[in-house]
Amino acid sequence: MLNLSTVEFSDINNDTLDDDLSRMNVLIIEDQLLNIHLLEAILSTHFMTQVAMSGEEAIAYCQNTTPDLILLDIQMGGIDGIETCKHLKSLPHLKDIPVIFITSFFEHEDFCWEVGGVDFIRKPFTNKTVFNRVKAHLTLKAQRDRLLELVFLDSLTEIYNRRYFDIHYEKIDLNAKRNKSDYALIVIDIDLFKQFNDIYGHLEGDRALKIVAQTIKDTLKRPQDFVARYGGEEFAVVLPYTDLKGAILVTENIIKNIAALNIENSASLFKHLSVSGGVATLKSSEDHADTFQIADDKLYMSKQSGRNKFSY
């Protein structure tokens, strides 16, 4: 388990904290228009805000978006706040997002803690209480995010590193096996990268690594999908809750988008920098064999059969 205490808080530049907070997104889940207007008036001049007027709407919104903090009313029509929180916390990309409950009943407090709430605000609320509690929890999250960046980001490419991959891939693999769901793994390698470095120099090689890494990251559309630099010029893409058909579509887009960069590589038959890929999913792996090893074997097949392609 990662011990964040080994990272110095002095490594975080507090001068930029206010800028970080102003870009953070607070999701307000509330079905009363008057309360929505009040909360937006308190928060929207300091943070970015979004509104969902039901638990169902909030769940749909969070499928493709990750807020930085959730302000959640307990009593709503349809799914109440407690059940909404349970569902949101079951999503991997939301499990660490702070949830502050809004309640007018003391007996709800135990439920708030049990389902993962970090705080609660009682109705009728005051402007100062709402603002200070939201700011306090956003500040803690911003500091934690900075610490995790120091630990989990590759310093050259600014995408996740091998440590992040090892920890999170294991969790996704275990979760999929437990829930009998699926996930996809794509292993990507830059073709003829040693020759590229020999011809154009290591500075251009570093530049190419950065561009390829960001292009892969930008190709991924869902917040739960991620790419990590696995080592050297090799990258690993993890797509939770994705079958083989979905993985093939993502891989096609990655290869196409990198080719479209048109980075010169005279060592290649294609005369531009290209990548090869190997694709595997948990359910397409025979007898739940090592999904990563299968994807890596498929990558080798792509390399052996001409590069600038993928195998599955």
Side-chain angles (χ1 to χ4, degrees), residues 79-274:
I79 304 176
D80 67 17
I82 299 296
E83 290 303 315
T84 298
C85 186
K86 285 181 182 178
H87 190 100
L88 294 176
K89 287 291 183 178
S90 72
L91 301 175
H93 65 289
L94 295 179
K95 64 184 181 63
D96 294 323
I97 300 302
V99 176
I100 301 177
F101 281 101
I102 303 173
T103 177
S104 54
F105 296 96
F106 290 99
E107 60 267 24
H108 286 150
E109 292 179 14
D110 287 343
F111 292 113
C112 295
W113 305 127
E114 289 170 7
V115 298
V118 297
D119 205 345
F120 56 89
I121 297 171
R122 290 199 189 96
K123 295 179 180 178
F125 49 77
T126 65
N127 293 15
K128 193 169 185 179
T129 296
V130 171
F131 175 75
N132 286 336
R133 291 197 175 174
V134 168
K135 183 179 179 181
H137 286 288
L138 284 177
T139 299
L140 288 172
K141 183 180 184 298
Q143 291 172 336
R144 182 177 184 275
D145 289 348
R146 288 290 189 87
L147 289 172
L148 292 177
E149 283 182 8
L150 292 173
V151 174
F152 285 140
L153 283 191
D154 177 65
S155 59
L156 175 64
T157 61
E158 297 182 347
I159 62 171
Y160 291 124
N161 58 20
R162 173 71 177 272
R163 176 186 286 182
Y164 182 93
F165 172 83
D166 287 342
I167 293 172
H168 287 78
Y169 174 63
E170 181 181 8
K171 291 179 180 177
I172 289 168
D173 182 64
L174 290 172
N175 184 65
K177 289 174 180 175
R178 183 169 55 247
N179 296 326
K180 294 182 170 52
S181 58
D182 206 0
Y183 70 85
L185 179 66
I186 310 166
V187 181
I188 294 170
D189 190 78
I190 300 178
D191 297 325
L192 301 169
F193 191 66
K194 180 182 183 301
Q195 292 87 333
F196 182 91
N197 273 329
D198 290 342
I199 295 168
Y200 301 99
H202 288 280
L203 287 178
E204 282 301 307
D206 286 351
R207 177 176 173 272
L209 279 170
K210 293 178 186 178
I211 294 172
V212 168
Q214 289 302 314
T215 300
I216 297 172
K217 181 179 177 181
D218 291 344
T219 304
L220 307 179
K221 301 304 181 186
R222 302 182 306 174
Q224 63 264 43
D225 301 337
F226 73 88
V227 57
R229 186 182 180 191
Y230 192 76
E233 65 273 20
E234 189 170 69
F235 304 91
V237 176
V238 182
L239 310 172
Y241 304 106
T242 302
D243 59 14
L244 186 59
K245 182 178 178 182
I248 288 171
L249 179 61
V250 172
T251 312
E252 287 175 342
N253 287 335
I254 288 171
I255 292 177
K256 178 184 68 176
N257 291 344
I258 291 171
L261 297 170
N262 204 28
I263 299 171
E264 181 183 344
N265 185 6
S266 60
S268 169
L269 292 174
F270 307 102
K271 300 305 176 185
H272 62 77
L273 197 71
S274 62

Side-chain angles (χ1 to χ4, degrees), residues 32-46:
Q32 298 296 317
L33 283 175
L34 177 59
N35 287 336
I36 291 171
H37 292 321
L38 288 172
L39 291 169
E40 284 200 298
I42 297 166
L43 300 173
S44 61
T45 57
H46 303 278

